[in-house]
Amino acid sequence: MLKFNDGIEVLLDDRKVRAGFMFSDMDLIGIPHLLVMGDKGLDAGTVEYKGRTDEQAEDVAMAHILAFIQAKLN
């Protein structure tokens, strides 16, 4: 687990398993904010964000992700 000065804790799941397996685990342990970085998004300069209670994921520009998460936390 990484902890940033802004009080944000990050759990990086870089296991060599299918994405669905990782998403299922994150749901089981109650991770409230999920950021997915994939090849397609990285090429476009975006990160996929999905809140625990959100129906749909949304793409957020990498340059704005910290401000976006801080706004979600407040």
Side-chain angles (χ1 to χ4, degrees), residues 9-45:
E9 293 181 9
V10 176
L11 177 63
L12 174 65
D13 191 348
D14 62 351
R15 295 177 291 166
K16 304 296 182 211
V17 297
R18 293 183 321 223
F21 187 79
M22 287 187 267
F23 298 151
S24 178
D25 282 353
M26 295 303 114
D27 204 27
L28 284 172
I29 61 176
I31 300 296
H33 304 278
L34 182 66
L35 297 173
V36 178
M37 301 175 103
D39 291 336
K40 184 178 173 184
L42 292 174
D43 289 343

